[in-house]
Amino acid sequence: PSDTFTGYGYMQALIMVDPRQVAELADVATILGAEIRDGGTSADELERMVRPMMEQVAVWRRNNRYWLGSVLASSQEFPVRLDWARNMVSDLQAITVDEINALAGEYLAPERAIHIGIVPLVLTPAGAVIDVPAAE
């Protein structure tokens, strides 16, 4: 969610691949999102998503960098961050399959997807740019 604009936020999928596969895998991500939207997710899939997040939260909560950089640094401007830190574990544990499926139904339509590919330039020793060919 956005700290600035109420009701605005985004979901993202970050995929690190060979630059020649950027367009192909962007399409695959969109297809997978549509499959989740159409077929839903299961309790097992939700558990496999939440468990690593809970493990990461446990690490964050033992780390001063998290408390100083993510919670306290902007808590005067966004006091809700204190509540987020207090409730993170219970909020993650409370996520239901029905909630995930409802969000997928609302937001994972292929026409809502935006693909942004960040592809490095390849320079020759003389400084000329070589285009990275797309996958065939």
PDB file of all heavy atoms in Angstrom, residues 1-39:
ATOM      1  N   PRO A   1       0.828  -1.199   0.000  1.00  0.00           N
ATOM      2  CA  PRO A   1       0.000   0.000   0.000  1.00  0.00           C
ATOM      3  C   PRO A   1       0.868   1.256   0.000  1.00  0.00           C
ATOM      4  O   PRO A   1       2.010   1.220   0.412  1.00  0.00           O
ATOM      5  CB  PRO A   1      -0.801  -0.117   1.280  1.00  0.00           C
ATOM      6  CG  PRO A   1       0.011  -0.973   2.184  1.00  0.00           C
ATOM      7  CD  PRO A   1       0.785  -1.897   1.284  1.00  0.00           C
ATOM      8  N   SER A   2       0.285   2.323  -0.439  1.00  0.00           N
ATOM      9  CA  SER A   2       0.993   3.598  -0.482  1.00  0.00           C
ATOM     10  C   SER A   2       0.852   4.335   0.844  1.00  0.00           C
ATOM     11  O   SER A   2      -0.231   4.359   1.425  1.00  0.00           O
ATOM     12  CB  SER A   2       0.421   4.460  -1.606  1.00  0.00           C
ATOM     13  OG  SER A   2       0.963   5.758  -1.560  1.00  0.00           O
ATOM     14  N   ASP A   3       1.946   4.938   1.306  1.00  0.00           N
ATOM     15  CA  ASP A   3       1.889   5.793   2.486  1.00  0.00           C
ATOM     16  C   ASP A   3       1.239   7.132   2.154  1.00  0.00           C
ATOM     17  O   ASP A   3       0.751   7.824   3.023  1.00  0.00           O
ATOM     18  CB  ASP A   3       3.297   6.070   3.016  1.00  0.00           C
ATOM     19  CG  ASP A   3       3.917   4.864   3.681  1.00  0.00           C
ATOM     20  OD1 ASP A   3       3.178   4.004   4.184  1.00  0.00           O
ATOM     21  OD2 ASP A   3       5.159   4.783   3.696  1.00  0.00           O
ATOM     22  N   THR A   4       1.251   7.491   0.886  1.00  0.00           N
ATOM     23  CA  THR A   4       0.806   8.813   0.462  1.00  0.00           C
ATOM     24  C   THR A   4      -0.621   8.820  -0.059  1.00  0.00           C
ATOM     25  O   THR A   4      -1.414   9.685   0.298  1.00  0.00           O
ATOM     26  CB  THR A   4       1.738   9.351  -0.636  1.00  0.00           C
ATOM     27  OG1 THR A   4       3.086   9.308  -0.145  1.00  0.00           O
ATOM     28  CG2 THR A   4       1.378  10.768  -1.026  1.00  0.00           C
ATOM     29  N   PHE A   5      -0.960   7.852  -0.917  1.00  0.00           N
ATOM     30  CA  PHE A   5      -2.247   7.856  -1.593  1.00  0.00           C
ATOM     31  C   PHE A   5      -3.146   6.762  -1.037  1.00  0.00           C
ATOM     32  O   PHE A   5      -2.875   5.577  -1.208  1.00  0.00           O
ATOM     33  CB  PHE A   5      -2.059   7.674  -3.098  1.00  0.00           C
ATOM     34  CG  PHE A   5      -1.188   8.729  -3.713  1.00  0.00           C
ATOM     35  CD1 PHE A   5       0.105   8.435  -4.104  1.00  0.00           C
ATOM     36  CD2 PHE A   5      -1.655  10.022  -3.884  1.00  0.00           C
ATOM     37  CE1 PHE A   5       0.923   9.402  -4.667  1.00  0.00           C
ATOM     38  CE2 PHE A   5      -0.844  11.000  -4.442  1.00  0.00           C
ATOM     39  CZ  PHE A   5       0.445  10.690  -4.828  1.00  0.00           C
ATOM     40  N   THR A   6      -4.228   7.159  -0.392  1.00  0.00           N
ATOM     41  CA  THR A   6      -5.170   6.205   0.186  1.00  0.00           C
ATOM     42  C   THR A   6      -5.792   5.358  -0.917  1.00  0.00           C
ATOM     43  O   THR A   6      -6.210   5.874  -1.951  1.00  0.00           O
ATOM     44  CB  THR A   6      -6.281   6.959   0.946  1.00  0.00           C
ATOM     45  OG1 THR A   6      -5.659   7.768   1.943  1.00  0.00           O
ATOM     46  CG2 THR A   6      -7.257   5.993   1.580  1.00  0.00           C
ATOM     47  N   GLY A   7      -5.842   4.066  -0.690  1.00  0.00           N
ATOM     48  CA  GLY A   7      -6.459   3.160  -1.648  1.00  0.00           C
ATOM     49  C   GLY A   7      -5.575   2.800  -2.829  1.00  0.00           C
ATOM     50  O   GLY A   7      -6.027   2.170  -3.777  1.00  0.00           O
ATOM     51  N   TYR A   8      -4.313   3.192  -2.786  1.00  0.00           N
ATOM     52  CA  TYR A   8      -3.408   2.903  -3.893  1.00  0.00           C
ATOM     53  C   TYR A   8      -2.281   2.009  -3.400  1.00  0.00           C
ATOM     54  O   TYR A   8      -1.798   2.149  -2.288  1.00  0.00           O
ATOM     55  CB  TYR A   8      -2.811   4.188  -4.467  1.00  0.00           C
ATOM     56  CG  TYR A   8      -1.821   3.936  -5.568  1.00  0.00           C
ATOM     57  CD1 TYR A   8      -2.243   3.656  -6.851  1.00  0.00           C
ATOM     58  CD2 TYR A   8      -0.456   3.941  -5.315  1.00  0.00           C
ATOM     59  CE1 TYR A   8      -1.339   3.390  -7.859  1.00  0.00           C
ATOM     60  CE2 TYR A   8       0.467   3.682  -6.313  1.00  0.00           C
ATOM     61  CZ  TYR A   8       0.013   3.412  -7.583  1.00  0.00           C
ATOM     62  OH  TYR A   8       0.913   3.138  -8.577  1.00  0.00           O
ATOM     63  N   GLY A   9      -1.880   1.106  -4.228  1.00  0.00           N
ATOM     64  CA  GLY A   9      -0.758   0.236  -3.922  1.00  0.00           C
ATOM     65  C   GLY A   9      -0.458  -0.609  -5.152  1.00  0.00           C
ATOM     66  O   GLY A   9      -1.018  -0.381  -6.222  1.00  0.00           O
ATOM     67  N   TYR A  10       0.406  -1.581  -4.997  1.00  0.00           N
ATOM     68  CA  TYR A  10       0.720  -2.459  -6.117  1.00  0.00           C
ATOM     69  C   TYR A  10       1.222  -3.796  -5.609  1.00  0.00           C
ATOM     70  O   TYR A  10       1.626  -3.934  -4.458  1.00  0.00           O
ATOM     71  CB  TYR A  10       1.758  -1.824  -7.047  1.00  0.00           C
ATOM     72  CG  TYR A  10       3.084  -1.539  -6.379  1.00  0.00           C
ATOM     73  CD1 TYR A  10       4.101  -2.483  -6.362  1.00  0.00           C
ATOM     74  CD2 TYR A  10       3.318  -0.316  -5.759  1.00  0.00           C
ATOM     75  CE1 TYR A  10       5.311  -2.226  -5.740  1.00  0.00           C
ATOM     76  CE2 TYR A  10       4.525  -0.055  -5.141  1.00  0.00           C
ATOM     77  CZ  TYR A  10       5.514  -1.010  -5.135  1.00  0.00           C
ATOM     78  OH  TYR A  10       6.705  -0.754  -4.515  1.00  0.00           O
ATOM     79  N   MET A  11       1.127  -4.791  -6.474  1.00  0.00           N
ATOM     80  CA  MET A  11       1.742  -6.091  -6.241  1.00  0.00           C
ATOM     81  C   MET A  11       2.830  -6.212  -7.286  1.00  0.00           C
ATOM     82  O   MET A  11       2.694  -5.681  -8.396  1.00  0.00           O
ATOM     83  CB  MET A  11       0.740  -7.222  -6.443  1.00  0.00           C
ATOM     84  CG  MET A  11      -0.274  -7.332  -5.340  1.00  0.00           C
ATOM     85  SD  MET A  11      -1.285  -8.809  -5.497  1.00  0.00           S
ATOM     86  CE  MET A  11      -2.430  -8.296  -6.754  1.00  0.00           C
ATOM     87  N   GLN A  12       3.886  -6.910  -6.946  1.00  0.00           N
ATOM     88  CA  GLN A  12       4.955  -7.057  -7.920  1.00  0.00           C
ATOM     89  C   GLN A  12       5.529  -8.455  -7.880  1.00  0.00           C
ATOM     90  O   GLN A  12       5.482  -9.123  -6.860  1.00  0.00           O
ATOM     91  CB  GLN A  12       6.053  -6.034  -7.699  1.00  0.00           C
ATOM     92  CG  GLN A  12       6.821  -6.209  -6.414  1.00  0.00           C
ATOM     93  CD  GLN A  12       7.873  -5.125  -6.225  1.00  0.00           C
ATOM     94  OE1 GLN A  12       7.971  -4.200  -6.997  1.00  0.00           O
ATOM     95  NE2 GLN A  12       8.653  -5.249  -5.181  1.00  0.00           N
ATOM     96  N   ALA A  13       6.031  -8.852  -9.022  1.00  0.00           N
ATOM     97  CA  ALA A  13       6.791 -10.096  -9.130  1.00  0.00           C
ATOM     98  C   ALA A  13       8.144  -9.705  -9.706  1.00  0.00           C
ATOM     99  O   ALA A  13       8.213  -9.089 -10.770  1.00  0.00           O
ATOM    100  CB  ALA A  13       6.088 -11.087 -10.051  1.00  0.00           C
ATOM    101  N   LEU A  14       9.195 -10.000  -8.992  1.00  0.00           N
ATOM    102  CA  LEU A  14      10.542  -9.697  -9.465  1.00  0.00           C
ATOM    103  C   LEU A  14      11.160 -10.993  -9.960  1.00  0.00           C
ATOM    104  O   LEU A  14      11.204 -11.982  -9.226  1.00  0.00           O
ATOM    105  CB  LEU A  14      11.395  -9.113  -8.345  1.00  0.00           C
ATOM    106  CG  LEU A  14      10.889  -7.809  -7.741  1.00  0.00           C
ATOM    107  CD1 LEU A  14      11.732  -7.419  -6.540  1.00  0.00           C
ATOM    108  CD2 LEU A  14      10.923  -6.713  -8.774  1.00  0.00           C
ATOM    109  N   ILE A  15      11.623 -10.972 -11.194  1.00  0.00           N
ATOM    110  CA  ILE A  15      12.198 -12.171 -11.803  1.00  0.00           C
ATOM    111  C   ILE A  15      13.550 -11.795 -12.384  1.00  0.00           C
ATOM    112  O   ILE A  15      13.636 -10.913 -13.236  1.00  0.00           O
ATOM    113  CB  ILE A  15      11.283 -12.713 -12.922  1.00  0.00           C
ATOM    114  CG1 ILE A  15       9.866 -12.937 -12.386  1.00  0.00           C
ATOM    115  CG2 ILE A  15      11.858 -13.994 -13.505  1.00  0.00           C
ATOM    116  CD1 ILE A  15       8.842 -13.206 -13.468  1.00  0.00           C
ATOM    117  N   MET A  16      14.592 -12.452 -11.923  1.00  0.00           N
ATOM    118  CA  MET A  16      15.928 -12.191 -12.453  1.00  0.00           C
ATOM    119  C   MET A  16      16.261 -13.298 -13.442  1.00  0.00           C
ATOM    120  O   MET A  16      16.315 -14.474 -13.069  1.00  0.00           O
ATOM    121  CB  MET A  16      16.941 -12.132 -11.316  1.00  0.00           C
ATOM    122  CG  MET A  16      16.644 -10.993 -10.352  1.00  0.00           C
ATOM    123  SD  MET A  16      17.746 -10.946  -8.945  1.00  0.00           S
ATOM    124  CE  MET A  16      19.199 -10.268  -9.711  1.00  0.00           C
ATOM    125  N   VAL A  17      16.448 -12.897 -14.711  1.00  0.00           N
ATOM    126  CA  VAL A  17      16.667 -13.872 -15.778  1.00  0.00           C
ATOM    127  C   VAL A  17      17.708 -13.346 -16.759  1.00  0.00           C
ATOM    128  O   VAL A  17      18.096 -12.181 -16.730  1.00  0.00           O
ATOM    129  CB  VAL A  17      15.364 -14.171 -16.554  1.00  0.00           C
ATOM    130  CG1 VAL A  17      14.306 -14.763 -15.646  1.00  0.00           C
ATOM    131  CG2 VAL A  17      14.840 -12.935 -17.242  1.00  0.00           C
ATOM    132  N   ASP A  18      18.097 -14.218 -17.649  1.00  0.00           N
ATOM    133  CA  ASP A  18      18.931 -13.824 -18.776  1.00  0.00           C
ATOM    134  C   ASP A  18      18.183 -12.717 -19.526  1.00  0.00           C
ATOM    135  O   ASP A  18      16.975 -12.832 -19.770  1.00  0.00           O
ATOM    136  CB  ASP A  18      19.150 -15.043 -19.689  1.00  0.00           C
ATOM    137  CG  ASP A  18      20.060 -14.743 -20.861  1.00  0.00           C
ATOM    138  OD1 ASP A  18      19.724 -13.837 -21.662  1.00  0.00           O
ATOM    139  OD2 ASP A  18      21.075 -15.431 -20.996  1.00  0.00           O
ATOM    140  N   PRO A  19      18.841 -11.633 -19.882  1.00  0.00           N
ATOM    141  CA  PRO A  19      18.158 -10.516 -20.549  1.00  0.00           C
ATOM    142  C   PRO A  19      17.365 -10.931 -21.786  1.00  0.00           C
ATOM    143  O   PRO A  19      16.365 -10.306 -22.125  1.00  0.00           O
ATOM    144  CB  PRO A  19      19.297  -9.564 -20.929  1.00  0.00           C
ATOM    145  CG  PRO A  19      20.353  -9.850 -19.924  1.00  0.00           C
ATOM    146  CD  PRO A  19      20.256 -11.330 -19.638  1.00  0.00           C
ATOM    147  N   ARG A  20      17.774 -11.993 -22.448  1.00  0.00           N
ATOM    148  CA  ARG A  20      17.050 -12.435 -23.644  1.00  0.00           C
ATOM    149  C   ARG A  20      15.705 -13.061 -23.300  1.00  0.00           C
ATOM    150  O   ARG A  20      14.897 -13.302 -24.177  1.00  0.00           O
ATOM    151  CB  ARG A  20      17.905 -13.418 -24.431  1.00  0.00           C
ATOM    152  CG  ARG A  20      19.156 -12.744 -25.022  1.00  0.00           C
ATOM    153  CD  ARG A  20      20.087 -13.759 -25.573  1.00  0.00           C
ATOM    154  NE  ARG A  20      20.601 -14.525 -24.432  1.00  0.00           N
ATOM    155  CZ  ARG A  20      21.793 -15.096 -24.382  1.00  0.00           C
ATOM    156  NH1 ARG A  20      22.601 -15.019 -25.396  1.00  0.00           N
ATOM    157  NH2 ARG A  20      22.188 -15.751 -23.320  1.00  0.00           N
ATOM    158  N   GLN A  21      15.451 -13.337 -22.025  1.00  0.00           N
ATOM    159  CA  GLN A  21      14.205 -13.980 -21.618  1.00  0.00           C
ATOM    160  C   GLN A  21      13.212 -13.032 -20.948  1.00  0.00           C
ATOM    161  O   GLN A  21      12.159 -13.463 -20.498  1.00  0.00           O
ATOM    162  CB  GLN A  21      14.513 -15.132 -20.652  1.00  0.00           C
ATOM    163  CG  GLN A  21      15.319 -16.239 -21.270  1.00  0.00           C
ATOM    164  CD  GLN A  21      15.661 -17.299 -20.230  1.00  0.00           C
ATOM    165  OE1 GLN A  21      16.124 -16.973 -19.147  1.00  0.00           O
ATOM    166  NE2 GLN A  21      15.407 -18.541 -20.584  1.00  0.00           N
ATOM    167  N   VAL A  22      13.531 -11.755 -20.900  1.00  0.00           N
ATOM    168  CA  VAL A  22      12.695 -10.800 -20.166  1.00  0.00           C
ATOM    169  C   VAL A  22      11.256 -10.799 -20.685  1.00  0.00           C
ATOM    170  O   VAL A  22      10.307 -10.957 -19.910  1.00  0.00           O
ATOM    171  CB  VAL A  22      13.307  -9.380 -20.216  1.00  0.00           C
ATOM    172  CG1 VAL A  22      12.326  -8.334 -19.716  1.00  0.00           C
ATOM    173  CG2 VAL A  22      14.590  -9.341 -19.402  1.00  0.00           C
ATOM    174  N   ALA A  23      11.060 -10.628 -21.972  1.00  0.00           N
ATOM    175  CA  ALA A  23       9.704 -10.541 -22.524  1.00  0.00           C
ATOM    176  C   ALA A  23       8.949 -11.852 -22.327  1.00  0.00           C
ATOM    177  O   ALA A  23       7.776 -11.858 -21.932  1.00  0.00           O
ATOM    178  CB  ALA A  23       9.760 -10.176 -24.003  1.00  0.00           C
ATOM    179  N   GLU A  24       9.623 -12.957 -22.572  1.00  0.00           N
ATOM    180  CA  GLU A  24       8.977 -14.269 -22.433  1.00  0.00           C
ATOM    181  C   GLU A  24       8.516 -14.503 -20.996  1.00  0.00           C
ATOM    182  O   GLU A  24       7.388 -14.949 -20.758  1.00  0.00           O
ATOM    183  CB  GLU A  24       9.955 -15.362 -22.860  1.00  0.00           C
ATOM    184  CG  GLU A  24       9.428 -16.765 -22.686  1.00  0.00           C
ATOM    185  CD  GLU A  24      10.482 -17.825 -23.003  1.00  0.00           C
ATOM    186  OE1 GLU A  24      11.569 -17.491 -23.516  1.00  0.00           O
ATOM    187  OE2 GLU A  24      10.191 -18.989 -22.728  1.00  0.00           O
ATOM    188  N   LEU A  25       9.362 -14.215 -20.022  1.00  0.00           N
ATOM    189  CA  LEU A  25       8.995 -14.473 -18.639  1.00  0.00           C
ATOM    190  C   LEU A  25       8.003 -13.453 -18.094  1.00  0.00           C
ATOM    191  O   LEU A  25       7.237 -13.755 -17.183  1.00  0.00           O
ATOM    192  CB  LEU A  25      10.224 -14.595 -17.768  1.00  0.00           C
ATOM    193  CG  LEU A  25      10.962 -15.917 -18.020  1.00  0.00           C
ATOM    194  CD1 LEU A  25      12.230 -16.007 -17.209  1.00  0.00           C
ATOM    195  CD2 LEU A  25      10.081 -17.113 -17.730  1.00  0.00           C
ATOM    196  N   ALA A  26       7.960 -12.270 -18.656  1.00  0.00           N
ATOM    197  CA  ALA A  26       6.908 -11.320 -18.279  1.00  0.00           C
ATOM    198  C   ALA A  26       5.553 -11.891 -18.686  1.00  0.00           C
ATOM    199  O   ALA A  26       4.586 -11.820 -17.929  1.00  0.00           O
ATOM    200  CB  ALA A  26       7.155  -9.973 -18.943  1.00  0.00           C
ATOM    201  N   ASP A  27       5.507 -12.495 -19.868  1.00  0.00           N
ATOM    202  CA  ASP A  27       4.264 -13.131 -20.314  1.00  0.00           C
ATOM    203  C   ASP A  27       3.904 -14.317 -19.427  1.00  0.00           C
ATOM    204  O   ASP A  27       2.744 -14.512 -19.070  1.00  0.00           O
ATOM    205  CB  ASP A  27       4.387 -13.590 -21.770  1.00  0.00           C
ATOM    206  CG  ASP A  27       4.452 -12.425 -22.751  1.00  0.00           C
ATOM    207  OD1 ASP A  27       4.034 -11.307 -22.384  1.00  0.00           O
ATOM    208  OD2 ASP A  27       4.933 -12.645 -23.885  1.00  0.00           O
ATOM    209  N   VAL A  28       4.902 -15.109 -19.035  1.00  0.00           N
ATOM    210  CA  VAL A  28       4.662 -16.255 -18.150  1.00  0.00           C
ATOM    211  C   VAL A  28       4.103 -15.771 -16.809  1.00  0.00           C
ATOM    212  O   VAL A  28       3.153 -16.358 -16.274  1.00  0.00           O
ATOM    213  CB  VAL A  28       5.946 -17.090 -17.948  1.00  0.00           C
ATOM    214  CG1 VAL A  28       5.780 -18.092 -16.828  1.00  0.00           C
ATOM    215  CG2 VAL A  28       6.333 -17.795 -19.245  1.00  0.00           C
ATOM    216  N   ALA A  29       4.660 -14.701 -16.258  1.00  0.00           N
ATOM    217  CA  ALA A  29       4.168 -14.174 -14.978  1.00  0.00           C
ATOM    218  C   ALA A  29       2.712 -13.736 -15.095  1.00  0.00           C
ATOM    219  O   ALA A  29       1.904 -13.982 -14.190  1.00  0.00           O
ATOM    220  CB  ALA A  29       5.047 -13.007 -14.518  1.00  0.00           C
ATOM    221  N   THR A  30       2.353 -13.119 -16.205  1.00  0.00           N
ATOM    222  CA  THR A  30       0.970 -12.691 -16.420  1.00  0.00           C
ATOM    223  C   THR A  30       0.041 -13.896 -16.520  1.00  0.00           C
ATOM    224  O   THR A  30      -1.054 -13.901 -15.952  1.00  0.00           O
ATOM    225  CB  THR A  30       0.873 -11.827 -17.694  1.00  0.00           C
ATOM    226  OG1 THR A  30       1.726 -10.690 -17.527  1.00  0.00           O
ATOM    227  CG2 THR A  30      -0.546 -11.350 -17.935  1.00  0.00           C
ATOM    228  N   ILE A  31       0.480 -14.923 -17.232  1.00  0.00           N
ATOM    229  CA  ILE A  31      -0.316 -16.153 -17.354  1.00  0.00           C
ATOM    230  C   ILE A  31      -0.504 -16.814 -15.995  1.00  0.00           C
ATOM    231  O   ILE A  31      -1.602 -17.248 -15.643  1.00  0.00           O
ATOM    232  CB  ILE A  31       0.341 -17.118 -18.373  1.00  0.00           C
ATOM    233  CG1 ILE A  31       0.232 -16.541 -19.778  1.00  0.00           C
ATOM    234  CG2 ILE A  31      -0.269 -18.511 -18.297  1.00  0.00           C
ATOM    235  CD1 ILE A  31       1.125 -17.235 -20.802  1.00  0.00           C
ATOM    236  N   LEU A  32       0.566 -16.893 -15.208  1.00  0.00           N
ATOM    237  CA  LEU A  32       0.462 -17.492 -13.880  1.00  0.00           C
ATOM    238  C   LEU A  32      -0.487 -16.693 -12.986  1.00  0.00           C
ATOM    239  O   LEU A  32      -1.274 -17.270 -12.222  1.00  0.00           O
ATOM    240  CB  LEU A  32       1.842 -17.603 -13.227  1.00  0.00           C
ATOM    241  CG  LEU A  32       2.789 -18.626 -13.849  1.00  0.00           C
ATOM    242  CD1 LEU A  32       4.169 -18.512 -13.227  1.00  0.00           C
ATOM    243  CD2 LEU A  32       2.236 -20.033 -13.719  1.00  0.00           C
ATOM    244  N   GLY A  33      -0.425 -15.387 -13.080  1.00  0.00           N
ATOM    245  CA  GLY A  33      -1.356 -14.559 -12.306  1.00  0.00           C
ATOM    246  C   GLY A  33      -2.798 -14.841 -12.689  1.00  0.00           C
ATOM    247  O   GLY A  33      -3.680 -14.963 -11.825  1.00  0.00           O
ATOM    248  N   ALA A  34      -3.059 -14.977 -13.989  1.00  0.00           N
ATOM    249  CA  ALA A  34      -4.416 -15.283 -14.453  1.00  0.00           C
ATOM    250  C   ALA A  34      -4.849 -16.672 -13.988  1.00  0.00           C
ATOM    251  O   ALA A  34      -6.020 -16.886 -13.636  1.00  0.00           O
ATOM    252  CB  ALA A  34      -4.485 -15.181 -15.977  1.00  0.00           C
ATOM    253  N   GLU A  35      -3.918 -17.619 -13.955  1.00  0.00           N
ATOM    254  CA  GLU A  35      -4.252 -18.959 -13.468  1.00  0.00           C
ATOM    255  C   GLU A  35      -4.621 -18.928 -11.986  1.00  0.00           C
ATOM    256  O   GLU A  35      -5.546 -19.610 -11.556  1.00  0.00           O
ATOM    257  CB  GLU A  35      -3.098 -19.926 -13.714  1.00  0.00           C
ATOM    258  CG  GLU A  35      -2.932 -20.307 -15.168  1.00  0.00           C
ATOM    259  CD  GLU A  35      -1.726 -21.211 -15.434  1.00  0.00           C
ATOM    260  OE1 GLU A  35      -1.016 -21.597 -14.470  1.00  0.00           O
ATOM    261  OE2 GLU A  35      -1.490 -21.522 -16.612  1.00  0.00           O
ATOM    262  N   ILE A  36      -3.901 -18.126 -11.212  1.00  0.00           N
ATOM    263  CA  ILE A  36      -4.232 -17.985  -9.792  1.00  0.00           C
ATOM    264  C   ILE A  36      -5.595 -17.315  -9.659  1.00  0.00           C
ATOM    265  O   ILE A  36      -6.434 -17.724  -8.845  1.00  0.00           O
ATOM    266  CB  ILE A  36      -3.142 -17.194  -9.046  1.00  0.00           C
ATOM    267  CG1 ILE A  36      -1.834 -18.001  -9.018  1.00  0.00           C
ATOM    268  CG2 ILE A  36      -3.598 -16.836  -7.629  1.00  0.00           C
ATOM    269  CD1 ILE A  36      -0.636 -17.199  -8.555  1.00  0.00           C
ATOM    270  N   ARG A  37      -5.828 -16.282 -10.470  1.00  0.00           N
ATOM    271  CA  ARG A  37      -7.125 -15.590 -10.429  1.00  0.00           C
ATOM    272  C   ARG A  37      -8.262 -16.553 -10.758  1.00  0.00           C
ATOM    273  O   ARG A  37      -9.283 -16.585 -10.082  1.00  0.00           O
ATOM    274  CB  ARG A  37      -7.127 -14.436 -11.432  1.00  0.00           C
ATOM    275  CG  ARG A  37      -8.464 -13.695 -11.479  1.00  0.00           C
ATOM    276  CD  ARG A  37      -8.672 -12.923 -12.747  1.00  0.00           C
ATOM    277  NE  ARG A  37      -8.694 -13.855 -13.867  1.00  0.00           N
ATOM    278  CZ  ARG A  37      -8.451 -13.507 -15.118  1.00  0.00           C
ATOM    279  NH1 ARG A  37      -8.159 -12.277 -15.421  1.00  0.00           N
ATOM    280  NH2 ARG A  37      -8.489 -14.400 -16.086  1.00  0.00           N
ATOM    281  N   ASP A  38      -8.077 -17.363 -11.792  1.00  0.00           N
ATOM    282  CA  ASP A  38      -9.152 -18.236 -12.252  1.00  0.00           C
ATOM    283  C   ASP A  38      -9.309 -19.500 -11.413  1.00  0.00           C
ATOM    284  O   ASP A  38     -10.421 -19.972 -11.199  1.00  0.00           O
ATOM    285  CB  ASP A  38      -8.922 -18.631 -13.718  1.00  0.00           C
ATOM    286  CG  ASP A  38      -8.975 -17.434 -14.652  1.00  0.00           C
ATOM    287  OD1 ASP A  38      -9.547 -16.394 -14.264  1.00  0.00           O
ATOM    288  OD2 ASP A  38      -8.431 -17.537 -15.770  1.00  0.00           O
ATOM    289  N   GLY A  39      -8.200 -20.060 -10.930  1.00  0.00           N
ATOM    290  CA  GLY A  39      -8.253 -21.330 -10.211  1.00  0.00           C
ATOM    291  C   GLY A  39      -8.129 -21.208  -8.713  1.00  0.00           C
ATOM    292  O   GLY A  39      -8.348 -22.169  -7.982  1.00  0.00           O
TER     293      GLY A  39
END
